[in-house]
Amino acid sequence: MNIGIDKIGFYTPHTFIDMVKLAEARGVDPAKYTIGIGQEQMAVSPVTQDAVTLAANAALRILDKEDLKKIDFVIFGTESGIDSSKSAAVYVHDLLGIQSSARSIEIKQACYGATAGIQLAKGHIALHPESRVLVLGSDISRYGLRSSGEVTQGAGAVAMVISANPRILSLGDQSAYLTNDIMDFWRPTYSDTAYVDGKFSNEQYIAFFLNTWEQFKSQTDMTIADFEAMCFHLPYTKMGMKAMREIFDEGTEEDQKRLTDHYQLSTIYNKNVGNIYTGSLYLSLISLLENDTSLKAGNRIGLFSYGSGAVGEFFTGTLQPEFREALAEAEHKNLFAEREEVSIEKYEEIFSEVLPVDGTNLQLDIESDPATICVAGIEEHKRLYVNKSR
Ligand code: HMG
């Protein structure tokens, strides 16, 4: 059965900082951030956005009334969950008005969560071909002010409708995956910032890519020449290239050039948003599809998903005849155009604004946040969400 991505959209908060200005404020050569890491801007999430609202805002942009009636499974991949018990998917289900005969769950495995969601959705649709599944990947990446990971922070969400006979990308049945218990990046439940062994995490990312790529090739007869493009989980935009370069000697100069040219276009959005963890690979896919005018129906795209801790997966998708019409390119370009740059001082102030964790009630000013769906405050330990369009 032909199953895959029928719709795909993203959302990122309305404020961002410039990486050259961050480098200057941190006393670092700006080329380290813009070339060495490969980031130009970083999304800054206000206190009125969290993983739930980012995901709901991403989905709001792509769902129509028919989807709301047909979606019967909401799968929310995140590592920025707001509750250890109730899933973020249940809030989104309500905020969007999805019909009630639906399952709604949250999945966690670092940045791999949305990929796990897609694979689960595929199984569900194989059994129920009429179903539509909403898969969300939403995160706010926080390492801390002046930490080595600060330059790789970001915030945003991707929403995808997975269905039979998808209009954008048909997902291949062959998939190679790997699990290995390592401590390259983690966030204990008592911490709102991540811990990371940076160099080790880079090495493991590449090792997981090479392992799953080798497994994939032995499962199929494919080689590097069978791929028009490859998209990667992008904690920062140099990372995917570091991994892809490792297999370049398997291809011709033409293969290397083709993959490099497409890769550049797959990093445009990520360069300006930062790491959005679960949504990162799919933001890169959106960037490729919306910025690369040379892609054609039938092109095969390799997808590498990596979630620290760690789980990796290499899988593929094939572009469908109507893929261009099904994209939300104009919406996404507007989203970027309407963002507002904030100073490094303002970013530090926003970074430090967090919801109380001691039971204090708080009302937030949601008028200063142009997003349709916002966190309006906290009352008796319950987050209050508002959909301004209702
Ligand atoms: P660092 O120590 O600040 O940077 O850490 P560095 O000294 O390694 O430099 C980075 C690069 O900039 C190097 O290039 C330098 O040569 C270059 P590379 O050797 O890597 O090609 N450089 C310059 N280039 C031009 N001009 C200059 C200059 N100076 C230096 N003047 C690190 C960087 C990414 C490790 C750090 O920011 C970090 O720990 N980030 C968070 C962890 C991370 O993103 N890991 C990626 C793999 S793990 C993953 O993807 C999972 C994750 O998304 C979490 C999840 O799954 O949930 C993170």
Side-chain angles (χ1 to χ4, degrees):
M1 189 189 293
N2 182 8
I3 303 173
I5 302 174
D6 187 63
K7 292 187 175 184
I8 186 163
F10 81 91
Y11 183 77
T12 186
H14 73 289
T15 40
F16 72 92
I17 53 167
D18 182 293
M19 298 316 269
V20 170
K21 291 179 189 157
L22 181 67
E24 283 162 0
R26 299 294 178 252
V28 172
D29 178 357
K32 175 175 174 184
Y33 286 5
T34 56
I35 299 166
I37 297 286
Q39 292 303 122
E40 287 170 7
Q41 296 173 343
M42 183 174 97
V44 175
S45 195
V47 70
T48 44
Q49 292 295 311
D50 65 12
V52 168
T53 60
L54 293 172
N57 283 309
L60 195 65
R61 303 175 106 76
I62 58 163
L63 301 185
D64 58 25
K65 285 196 178 122
E66 190 65 17
D67 295 318
L68 299 181
K69 275 192 239 154
K70 281 200 157 175
I71 288 170
D72 63 357
F73 203 173
V74 182
I75 307 176
F76 196 129
T78 186
E79 51 180 300
S80 317
I82 56 133
D83 194 295
S84 296
S85 185
K86 179 171 173 175
S87 87
V90 172
Y91 295 99
V92 174
H93 174 275
D94 177 65
L95 283 163
L96 299 176
I98 293 170
Q99 54 98 10
S100 57
S101 300
R103 295 182 177 128
S104 300
I105 60 158
E106 184 173 314
I107 288 188
K108 179 176 66 186
Q109 178 27 57
C111 300
Y112 175 73
T115 302
I118 288 177
Q119 299 300 357
L120 190 54
K122 275 183 72 186
H124 177 77
I125 289 160
L127 288 173
H128 309 283
E130 295 308 312
S131 290
R132 296 176 81 69
V133 181
L134 177 63
V135 175
L136 303 158
S138 178
D139 280 295
I140 300 172
S141 162
R142 289 169 66 87
Y143 290 90
L145 301 175
R146 295 170 194 84
S147 66
S148 65
E150 182 181 33
V151 59
T152 62
Q153 294 179 151
V158 170
M160 291 170 274
V161 175
I162 309 296
S163 73
N165 305 316
R167 285 172 307 157
I168 300 178
L169 197 72
S170 168
L171 295 168
D173 287 341
Q174 298 291 342
S175 197
Y177 25 87
L178 176 72
T179 294
N180 196 7
D181 181 3
I182 54 168
M183 294 303 278
D184 61 330
F185 165 104
W186 66 103
R187 184 167 69 81
T189 45
Y190 53 77
S191 176
D192 84 335
T193 50
Y195 289 80
V196 65
D197 187 342
K199 299 273 183 288
F200 180 56
S201 73
N202 289 347
E203 286 162 21
Q204 288 301 312
Y205 176 112
I206 294 172
F208 271 66
F209 171 62
L210 293 177
N211 179 300
T212 53
W213 170 243
E214 286 303 321
Q215 282 194 63
F216 184 82
K217 282 190 300 173
S218 62
Q219 278 176 23
T220 63
D221 286 333
M222 290 184 212
T223 68
I224 195 168
D226 291 301
F227 291 87
E228 179 62 26
M230 287 194 190
C231 286
F232 289 79
H233 164 57
L234 292 179
Y236 53 95
T237 68
K238 199 176 187 189
M239 188 70 242
M241 187 44 111
K242 276 167 173 291
M244 192 165 68
R245 268 200 311 246
E246 296 282 325
I247 61 165
F248 270 1
D249 60 4
E250 297 176 21
T252 60
E253 266 181 37
E254 196 195 322
D255 292 328
Q256 295 174 16
K257 180 173 179 335
R258 182 185 68 254
L259 292 172
T260 304
D261 288 350
H262 289 303
Y263 179 82
Q264 301 307 343
L265 297 167
S266 79
T267 62
I268 294 176
Y269 290 172
N270 304 67
K271 262 188 185 143
N272 292 295
V273 170
N275 192 357
I276 59 167
Y277 293 157
T278 47
S280 176
L281 165 63
Y282 303 98
L283 180 61
S284 173
L285 176 65
I286 300 173
S287 180
L288 176 75
L289 300 184
E290 295 185 353
N291 291 296
D292 195 331
T293 50
S294 73
L295 289 171
K296 294 183 187 59
N299 285 162
R300 182 181 289 114
I301 298 172
L303 299 151
F304 175 63
S305 182
Y306 178 77
S308 283
V311 177
E313 181 156 347
F314 185 86
F315 59 114
T316 66
T318 305
L319 287 174
Q320 298 301 287
E322 288 176 73
F323 83 93
R324 283 212 188 277
E325 297 84 78
L327 297 171
E329 184 183 340
E331 286 260 354
H332 296 145
K333 299 255 151 84
N334 274 346
L335 182 65
F336 277 119
E338 285 167 6
R339 290 194 311 170
E340 180 195 322
E341 184 182 343
V342 293
S343 65
I344 303 305
E345 294 71 32
K346 183 70 185 167
Y347 143 67
E348 291 177 355
E349 201 182 292
I350 296 172
F351 189 90
S352 310
E353 269 168 19
V354 287
L355 289 176
V357 290
D358 61 356
T360 312
N361 295 342
L362 180 72
Q363 249 193 325
L364 297 170
D365 167 24
I366 56 167
E367 292 317 313
S368 56
D369 184 342
T372 308
I373 298 174
C374 294
V375 184
I378 188 161
E379 212 173 275
E380 294 175 2
H381 300 281
K382 296 171 200 156
R383 286 190 190 210
L384 307 172
Y385 291 108
V386 170
N387 179 342
K388 295 176 191 167
S389 68
R390 277 184 177 166

